[in-house]
Amino acid sequence: MPARGDHDARRRDVSQAVWEVLAAKGFGGLTLRAVAAQLGASTGLLTHYFPSKKALMRHALEVAHEHGQRRERPVAEGEGLPGLRAALLHVMPLDPEIAAMNRVWVSFWDAALGDDELAAAELRRYERWRGMLRPHVEAAVRLGQLPADADPDDVVAGAAGFAHGLVVQALFDPARFPPRRQIKLVDDFVALLAR
Amino acid sequence: MPARGDHDARRRDVSQAVWEVLAAKGFGGLTLRAVAAQLGASTGLLTHYFPSKKALMRHALEVAHEHGQRRERPVAEGEGLPGLRAALLHVMPLDPEIAAMNRVWVSFWDAALGDDELAAAELRRYERWRGMLRPHVEAAVRLGQLPADADPDDVVAGAAGFAHGLVVQALFDPARFPPRRQIKLVDDFVALLAR
């Protein structure tokens, strides 16, 4: 069925063009026109895939999510706090690929704050991410690496916040936040928790 | 000189309309058309004030900065860590006015990541904010509230990151991050530093 294959290949090309626009311009710069230019196609062709800006945004959200999922999960050297450390480092812009991904997600905050559906998607994304950090914090409490009365939800929210706030600073100021310093700051934070 | 007064009053109206668009739609939604609609004026009139999108963005940046400056600086009950705590709480979305301001600045990250001039402005804004946190951290080291070998720059970067990451979570999930919990999380963070 060559027609089917062509269709799938074209869809992949469209998704790749969406990703390239996202990586270069963020969600704020994502338009049918920009994707068409990236693809070397007409805006008319694009409306076949995306009848509205909203449809384009929805697809871009999937594309960005898939790019994140494709990365290998970090393997920590130990349970509890070492696992939390690895999960936090996993989101830091330590190389250009992750920096591009961070840039996309930071830009999504603006789009999401202005749209109820996208805001709900971002809320779920946060829940998912905090849900990934939580087992490490619970293990840390169980293993006595954190005080027995530590509230796992609060530790998780604080750790998630710490990492994202550092991501933003590093994106704007890579000279002052080279990978080595990002790693040190995450290590310092985990060490604070452990004291 | 009534003409002069009219002119100034009109400029204030324009600046107020720019702020209202920013607060409602963020930098991503800031267009001449949106400001004109907010002002009940024609887009043509607006081009008299802002010959380009860039000129509008520059003015919006000033307007947002002035709104921040207008807020009273927090007075801490003590030097060092209490001062750091007050400065961090000062930026948390504890009421609708600060939430609106946070929403504007988070949206600015997207605009700034796609524009060298705006990115440089955001870098300076971060330097300024970290510069405001630094004296509190230095006082905390001097007063023995922090270990003598603590690196003030790293403590400041971590605290700035922690606060901004919490701001983003609270903006998207006010139900899970009511003011009381935001305050507790900041208190927990400062207590960690102090241990």
Side-chain angles (χ1 to χ4, degrees):
Chain A
M1 291 189 298
R4 181 75 222 168
D6 284 359
H7 181 74
D8 288 351
R10 176 45 69 109
R11 284 203 76 88
R12 275 195 301 276
D13 289 348
V14 170
S15 293
Q16 180 59 25
V18 167
W19 173 252
E20 281 158 11
V21 171
L22 281 183
K25 303 178 178 188
F27 275 90
L30 183 71
T31 59
L32 284 177
R33 187 186 295 212
V35 177
Q38 185 69 34
L39 199 61
S42 69
T43 309
L45 177 88
L46 262 292
T47 57
H48 169 70
Y49 293 93
F50 311 115
S52 66
K53 177 71 190 273
K54 195 95 182 191
L56 174 60
M57 289 296 268
R58 279 198 199 110
H59 182 69
L61 201 52
E62 274 174 40
V63 166
H65 177 68
E66 276 164 23
H67 264 258
Q69 293 300 102
R70 242 182 263 167
R71 289 178 60 212
E72 261 179 65
R73 291 275 127 221
V75 180
E77 308 98 56
E79 262 195 293
L81 291 182
L84 180 66
R85 172 185 186 270
L88 297 180
L89 286 178
H90 187 63
V91 303
M92 301 306 299
L94 299 175
D95 66 43
E97 189 204 338
I98 321 178
M101 214 166 289
N102 279 312
R103 191 246 173 282
V104 168
W105 285 120
V106 170
S107 80
F108 185 62
W109 291 338
D110 181 25
L113 283 169
D115 181 293
D116 288 345
E117 180 189 329
L118 299 180
E122 182 60 9
L123 193 151
R124 285 193 300 275
R125 218 168 67 82
Y126 257 109
E127 283 173 345
R128 230 172 16 241
W129 191 46
R130 287 191 300 251
M132 282 170 53
L133 299 181
R134 206 174 195 285
H136 301 301
V137 171
E138 286 171 344
V141 172
R142 202 169 56 237
L143 295 166
Q145 298 167 346
L146 287 177
D149 64 349
D151 180 329
D153 282 333
D154 284 353
V155 176
V156 163
F162 178 85
H164 277 177
L166 208 52
V167 163
V168 175
Q169 291 180 86
L171 286 182
F172 280 108
D173 206 344
R176 204 167 274 142
F177 291 88
R180 202 181 44 217
R181 187 172 183 216
Q182 294 180 42
I183 295 169
K184 178 186 183 296
L185 288 168
V186 168
D187 279 338
D188 286 355
F189 178 73
V190 174
L192 277 185
L193 292 177
R195 273 200 292 191
Chain B
M1 292 188 297
R4 181 74 223 170
D6 284 0
H7 181 75
D8 289 351
R10 176 44 71 109
R11 284 203 75 89
R12 275 196 300 277
D13 289 348
V14 169
S15 293
Q16 180 59 25
V18 167
W19 173 253
E20 281 158 11
V21 171
L22 280 183
K25 303 179 178 187
F27 275 89
L30 182 70
T31 59
L32 284 177
R33 187 186 296 212
V35 177
Q38 185 69 34
L39 199 60
S42 68
T43 309
L45 176 88
L46 262 292
T47 58
H48 170 70
Y49 292 93
F50 311 114
S52 66
K53 177 71 190 273
K54 195 95 182 189
L56 174 60
M57 289 295 269
R58 281 198 198 109
H59 182 70
L61 201 52
E62 274 174 41
V63 166
H65 178 68
E66 275 163 24
H67 264 258
Q69 293 301 101
R70 242 182 264 167
R71 288 177 59 213
E72 260 178 67
R73 292 274 129 220
V75 181
E77 308 98 57
E79 261 195 293
L81 291 182
L84 180 66
R85 172 184 186 271
L88 297 180
L89 286 177
H90 187 61
V91 302
M92 301 306 300
L94 298 175
D95 66 43
E97 189 205 339
I98 321 179
M101 214 166 289
N102 279 312
R103 192 248 172 281
V104 168
W105 285 120
V106 170
S107 80
F108 184 62
W109 290 338
D110 181 25
L113 283 169
D115 181 294
D116 288 345
E117 180 189 329
L118 299 179
E122 182 60 8
L123 192 151
R124 284 193 301 274
R125 218 169 66 83
Y126 258 110
E127 283 174 344
R128 235 178 4 247
W129 192 46
R130 287 190 301 250
M132 283 170 53
L133 299 181
R134 207 174 194 285
H136 301 301
V137 170
E138 286 171 343
V141 171
R142 203 170 55 237
L143 295 167
Q145 298 167 346
L146 287 177
D149 63 351
D151 180 330
D153 282 332
D154 283 353
V155 176
V156 163
F162 179 85
H164 276 176
L166 209 53
V167 163
V168 175
Q169 291 180 84
L171 285 182
F172 280 109
D173 206 344
R176 205 168 273 141
F177 291 87
R180 201 181 45 216
R181 186 171 183 218
Q182 294 180 42
I183 295 169
K184 177 185 184 298
L185 287 169
V186 169
D187 280 338
D188 285 355
F189 179 74
V190 174
L192 276 184
L193 292 177
R195 274 200 292 189

